Amino acid sequence: MQSTGTWVLLFSAAVILNQRNVSFGGTFNGALSTEVRAFQDFCELPITGNGDFSTWASLLVSYGDQDHRGTACDGVTKITQARADALKAAGYKCIGRYLTNPDPIGLPEKAIRPGELATIAANGLRCFPIYQTYGRAASGFTRTRGRDAALAAANAAKNHGFKEGARIFFAVDFDAYDFEITDNVIPYFQGVKEGLAMFGNPYAVGVYGPRNVCIRVGQAGLSTASFVSDMSSGFSGNYRYPLPPDWAYDQVVTINVGSGAGAINIDNNIASERDIGQGSFNAPATEKGDVNFAMQYWQGLHDDISSYMVSIGYPNSSATRIFTHTQCLETIIANDALVTSLARQHHMRKALIQTSAYWEMRHYDAVDLAVDAGVTLYHTGTGRPAEGGARGRVPGGLRPAAPAVPHRRGR
């Protein structure tokens, strides 16, 4: 690069826009070269101190030099032995894989598959976990959904075999404007923090998204490292913003690696080693089905669910609902053996039955009581609607010995 002139002016301006402490000028002096070296080191570029192509590219566009091969990648394809061989031959050391898959039809291998982590470890590779559902709009990010995401991600990570201390990267895969980060994304990550705390904080929090998302979530103290979606150069959140100071993975381009059985499509990521994933894993959870509830965990279960319901506006009382939290949970556990047996018989998780039953019962109110009584009267000719929404009554004036899960109108 020439040492004086218009190109140096442009280059120094680009360095300044990337928040580097240099003077705007038309001479490529020692101070500018020193700052360029620091920038190159930060971005994991060859440290030359010169205005070479890779440096120009990293200064001007979020994805930088797309020919720059990283040592990390992520993808939606299962890592088989042949694919592991291809990735190793291409210089990759760490692979990002998804904990869950909301689209098993369209992307059948998006989530980690049985035996996959064992293959990764056996080949001396490492893996970092990513959690993503359908969050491609601000409306998908709320504090409550953050708590739910944390619990789902932690359970999935544990079931796959990730050891405690792994960093889960929670995805914000849309062009979030700054006000949406304030109104939606930050509350979501506050919920993630709360959810993981409820789980005992087994995993660290990372954020995947545009530069501005990563910067602001990190500044709020809600993440410990960033996985930057820099190949989305059209995102406004990648304009004018520097690479986040805590970046761990910089996603720059989609490429194909390998051939034949080893062919795999991946996103090429530059790695900073702020996160290195995990290279060994616990045994994955078995698929033998659920077991009966162990009553020594009753109080913990009671308190955890109560805390969550209170946080979303359902205190443990009958002030606005027919049944209290305790009554609902006692009913669920009283039928635990039956539900466990049915769930195993139909090869499903019993939580799908118990959670929906608890939720419906906990929402039961005076209006539901009157409607159910009216349905009973219409179909049987007996019973009478509840008088004034009397609490604790059921259609026909009967009171069961233990709360029963009622019929609810659609909502």
Side-chain angles (χ1 to χ4, degrees):
M1 178 176 176
Q2 65 188 61
S3 58
T4 60
T6 303
W7 285 109
V8 180
L9 282 170
L10 292 172
F11 186 80
S12 65
V15 174
I16 292 169
L17 289 173
N18 278 267
Q19 300 185 4
R20 294 285 158 174
N21 187 24
V22 298
S23 298
F24 177 65
T27 301
F28 202 106
N29 56 26
L32 179 56
S33 180
T34 297
E35 197 60 41
V36 168
R37 285 177 175 273
F39 175 78
Q40 291 168 334
D41 183 46
F42 173 68
C43 295
E44 296 293 329
L45 297 170
I47 302 173
T48 65
N50 298 323
D52 50 42
F53 174 78
S54 291
T55 305
W56 271 102
S58 292
L59 288 169
L60 295 178
V61 291
S62 62
Y63 52 73
D65 179 2
Q66 292 188 314
D67 290 330
H68 182 196
R69 282 292 182 94
T71 57
C73 64
D74 66 279
V76 295
T77 309
K78 177 182 177 180
I79 305 303
T80 61
Q81 181 59 55
R83 291 167 179 165
D85 290 338
L87 290 171
K88 287 175 63 178
Y92 291 99
K93 300 177 181 178
C94 194
I95 305 159
R97 293 288 284 126
Y98 291 86
L99 292 171
T100 60
N101 184 8
D103 183 18
I105 304 300
L107 296 170
E109 294 183 349
K110 180 173 182 177
I112 297 166
R113 308 300 299 157
E116 184 174 355
L117 292 182
T119 299
I120 288 172
N123 284 276
L125 297 170
R126 306 181 71 85
C127 183
F128 62 93
I130 308 165
Y131 182 80
Q132 179 185 26
T133 53
Y134 287 110
R136 296 184 182 273
S139 59
F141 293 86
T142 65
R143 195 164 188 152
T144 298
R145 289 193 176 184
R147 283 193 293 265
D148 294 343
L151 295 174
N155 273 308
K158 182 178 180 181
N159 289 339
H160 284 304
F162 284 97
K163 297 178 179 179
E164 291 195 5
R167 180 180 286 107
I168 301 173
F169 289 90
F170 291 84
V172 183
D173 199 11
F174 75 104
D175 187 14
Y177 296 123
D178 200 62
F179 77 91
E180 293 174 319
I181 300 174
T182 299
D183 296 344
N184 297 86
V185 176
I186 294 296
Y188 174 85
F189 277 90
Q190 289 170 335
V192 169
K193 182 177 180 179
E194 292 165 357
L196 286 177
M198 292 170 63
F199 209 85
N201 290 314
Y203 302 110
V205 178
V207 54
Y208 168 87
R211 292 183 173 194
N212 193 33
V213 167
C214 294
I215 291 169
R216 292 206 51 202
V217 173
Q219 288 176 340
L222 298 172
S223 67
T224 58
S226 297
F227 177 15
V228 191
S229 57
D230 264 341
M231 68 180 186
S232 299
S233 59
F235 281 1
S236 63
N238 282 329
Y239 292 155
R240 301 180 293 105
Y241 296 99
L243 199 58
D246 66 350
W247 75 275
Y249 304 105
D250 186 13
Q251 187 185 63
V252 296
V253 66
T254 300
I255 62 173
N256 293 309
V257 171
S259 61
I264 182 171
N265 181 265
I266 59 169
D267 294 330
N268 175 49
N269 301 327
I270 313 303
S272 71
E273 296 193 357
R274 290 181 180 86
D275 181 90
I276 59 172
Q278 290 190 335
S280 64
F281 308 92
N282 294 324
T286 60
E287 295 295 331
K288 294 182 179 179
D290 290 316
V291 298
N292 290 330
F293 180 71
M295 287 305 296
Q296 64 262 36
Y297 300 116
W298 162 259
Q299 195 61 50
L301 177 68
H302 177 279
D303 294 347
D304 282 350
I305 297 177
S306 175
S307 175
Y308 174 74
M309 294 301 290
V310 167
S311 75
I312 61 173
Y314 293 85
N316 187 20
S317 71
S318 58
T320 58
R321 306 290 170 176
I322 300 297
F323 301 105
T324 68
H325 158 66
T326 300
Q327 289 175 311
C328 295
L329 193 59
E330 284 176 344
T331 300
I332 298 302
I333 298 304
N335 293 281
D336 179 70
L338 172 62
V339 173
T340 302
S341 175
L342 289 172
R344 292 175 66 92
Q345 178 182 343
H346 294 285
H347 304 289
M348 63 185 295
R349 302 310 300 265
K350 70 178 187 180
L352 295 173
I353 303 171
Q354 292 177 321
T355 302
S356 58
Y358 171 88
W359 186 258
E360 293 294 302
M361 187 174 179
R362 189 69 183 88
H363 282 71
Y364 197 60
D365 59 17
V367 176
D368 292 297
L369 193 67
V371 170
D372 281 350
V375 171
T376 300
L377 180 63
Y378 177 83
H379 287 286
T380 68
T382 62
R384 55 192 174 87
E387 299 171 355
R391 300 202 176 281
R393 296 178 64 91
V394 294
L398 300 176
R399 184 189 300 273
V405 180
H407 165 80
R408 289 189 68 233
R409 66 189 186 281
R411 291 188 182 229

